[in-house]
Amino acid sequence: MLLPTAQSTDAFGRRLASLVQVGDVITLSGALGAGKTSIARGLLSALGLPGEAPSPSYAIVQPYDPPEVRLPVLHVDLYRIDDPADLDELGLDDSRWTSLLLVEWAEHAGPDAWPDALRLTLSVADGGGRVLTAQVPPGWEDRWSRI
């Protein structure tokens, strides 16, 4: 999928917000500046977050709870995680069942993390814009067709 502008990247995140549920995991991968946080911000905004969501780069996990958003969200940035074993301390596997888990730099969690996740990968297109590639698990197939 081509996302030709920053606005289209944000709009994609907003459309995605209409489909998410508690217990979902969405991973966002791509180089620095590819648009991961833009999608996350669009999604969080559409879920009701007032203002712009901060990047969770330093906090690692930024939680959002109702009434601030329509459902609990854990916005996670794994950029500074070097060893997938360090994830145990974050408690993400337990928390995912009561929240939407939105994970940037998910590749730092290792290849076996969240096999049922909707995996979104962004790359910079020639001439600007972004190319989004999705790995859609069975639990997302019906919802993904509505994007």
Side-chain angles (χ1 to χ4, degrees):
M1 175 183 304
L2 181 62
L3 302 170
T5 65
Q7 292 82 8
S8 61
T9 304
D10 179 81
F12 174 81
R14 290 174 180 277
R15 285 192 312 274
L16 194 57
S18 68
L19 304 173
V20 297
Q21 305 169 16
V22 167
D24 284 342
V25 178
I26 299 172
T27 66
L28 298 162
S29 297
L32 284 171
K36 298 177 296 295
T37 301
S38 295
I39 288 176
R41 285 179 174 153
L43 186 148
L44 288 163
S45 178
L47 290 178
L49 185 69
E52 186 174 273
S55 173
S57 293
Y58 294 101
I60 300 177
V61 178
Q62 179 65 48
Y64 299 98
D65 292 303
E68 185 177 41
V69 289
R70 81 170 165 83
L71 54 85
V73 178
L74 293 177
H75 184 191
V76 181
D77 186 321
L78 299 180
Y79 183 74
R80 297 185 307 128
I81 299 294
D82 295 322
D83 183 351
D86 294 341
L87 291 176
D88 291 341
E89 295 176 27
L90 299 176
L92 298 177
D93 286 334
D94 293 333
S95 299
R96 72 162 291 187
W97 302 111
T98 57
S99 302
L100 162 66
L101 195 57
L102 186 58
V103 185
E104 296 186 43
W105 296 99
E107 57 274 20
H108 289 231
D112 298 326
W114 310 294
D116 60 337
L118 174 62
R119 297 184 185 281
L120 305 177
T121 302
L122 291 147
S123 59
V124 178
D126 291 339
R130 303 297 183 259
V131 175
L132 181 131
T133 305
Q135 291 180 345
V136 181
W140 268 92
E141 287 174 352
D142 182 53
R143 289 183 280 167
W144 185 253
S145 68
R146 293 181 266 159
I147 287 281

